[in-house]
Amino acid sequence: FEEIIAKLPKPYFQDDAVVIYCADCRDILPLIPDKSVDLVLTDPPYNAKNIGPNQREYIGSTMCLPEQEYKTWCADWFSKTTVAENIIFTPGIANICNYPQPYWVLCWHKPAAVYFNRMGGFNAWEPIFCYGKPFKKLPQDYLLFNTMNFTKGVERDHPCPKPVSLWAYLINLTEADIILDPFLGSGTTAYCAKKLGRK
């Protein structure tokens, strides 16, 4: 862990378990040696202007790209994840064709979700892509975890926060010691990794 950090620019924040860079991941990922990270666990932007009835707006230059530009962006960041053999991420239903075929797909069922789908109803599930073989054993590929739509913490400002319970469950199923999240968002991956004694 320390050897990897020593080769990178000065971080935005660092303690004994977590290092945060405030930068475009496409600039930082190439600086990390291949296969030096055990797991990439992330939730990349879905290229949505807003999500759900609260119309929570994404902020950032990669959030409202023309469709072809967004597809290129997906391919670009994903091509730089050679830092790990094992990758787990949520592509968003509308974006599943923007990425290479995963080794397996998990179904995250979120029955209390209030996000709309393109068919005029509610989006009650989400795919989770798995590349490599990240899990020691996967008891079931159907995961039932409620969303955080009514949470009142700092993650409320994030348009699509991932539940700590889901992220912790995924981490606990792996043997990953060093976890990387190219899209930190509200910090769920960093929080869970630190709570579970990972880096």
Side-chain angles (χ1 to χ4, degrees), residues 10 15 17 25 58 87 102 104 112 117 131 163:
K10 185 177 178 183
D15 67 13
C25 69
Y58 277 117
I87 304 165
W104 200 248
N117 64 40
Y131 295 86

Side-chain angles (χ1 to χ4, degrees), residues 63-98:
M63 305 312 157
C64 296
L65 296 174
E67 187 175 346
Q68 191 53 50
E69 275 186 54
Y70 179 70
K71 287 180 179 181
T72 301
W73 179 86
C74 291
D76 190 21
W77 82 261
F78 186 80
S79 71
K80 294 174 172 55
T81 57
T82 55
V83 299
E85 286 185 24
N86 299 309
I87 304 165
I88 303 171
F89 74 94
T90 50
I93 293 174
N95 305 315
I96 58 176
C97 294
N98 293 341

Side-chain angles (χ1 to χ4, degrees), residues 5-166:
I5 303 309
K7 297 175 182 176
L8 299 177
K10 185 177 178 183
Y12 172 79
F13 171 84
Q14 181 175 359
D15 67 13
D16 60 339
V18 174
V19 178
I20 298 174
Y21 290 89
C22 187
D24 188 323
C25 69
R26 296 171 297 172
D27 295 331
I28 299 293
L29 287 170
L31 304 176
I32 302 172
D34 283 359
K35 309 298 183 268
S36 61
V37 172
D38 299 316
L39 173 68
V40 169
L41 175 62
T42 194
D43 178 37
Y46 298 164
N47 204 39
K49 184 176 180 183
N50 50 54
I51 289 182
N54 296 325
Q55 302 296 297
R56 295 177 182 167
E57 290 196 7
Y58 277 117
I59 299 170
S61 60
T62 61
M63 305 312 157
C64 296
L65 296 174
E67 187 175 346
Q68 191 53 50
E69 275 186 54
Y70 179 70
K71 287 180 179 181
T72 301
W73 179 86
C74 291
D76 190 21
W77 82 261
F78 186 80
S79 71
K80 294 174 172 55
T81 57
T82 55
V83 299
E85 286 185 24
N86 299 309
I87 304 165
I88 303 171
F89 74 94
T90 50
I93 293 174
N95 305 315
I96 58 176
C97 294
N98 293 341
Y99 294 99
Q101 181 175 334
Y103 181 72
W104 200 248
V105 179
L106 311 181
C107 172
W108 168 30
H109 181 199
K110 42 186 189 178
V114 295
Y115 307 133
F116 299 130
N117 64 40
R118 291 181 179 177
M119 301 296 139
F122 290 108
N123 172 211
W125 78 283
E126 193 166 332
I128 300 175
F129 280 9
C130 301
Y131 295 86
K133 293 185 179 179
F135 304 116
K136 297 175 283 189
K137 182 179 180 183
L138 181 63
Q140 190 175 46
D141 53 13
Y142 167 87
L143 309 176
L144 175 60
F145 288 89
N146 266 318
T147 57
M148 303 175 69
N149 296 319
F150 305 109
T151 303
K152 295 184 179 178
V154 293
E155 62 278 350
R156 185 171 177 80
D157 293 331
H158 190 285
C160 194
K162 296 302 172 277
V164 168
S165 56
L166 171 62

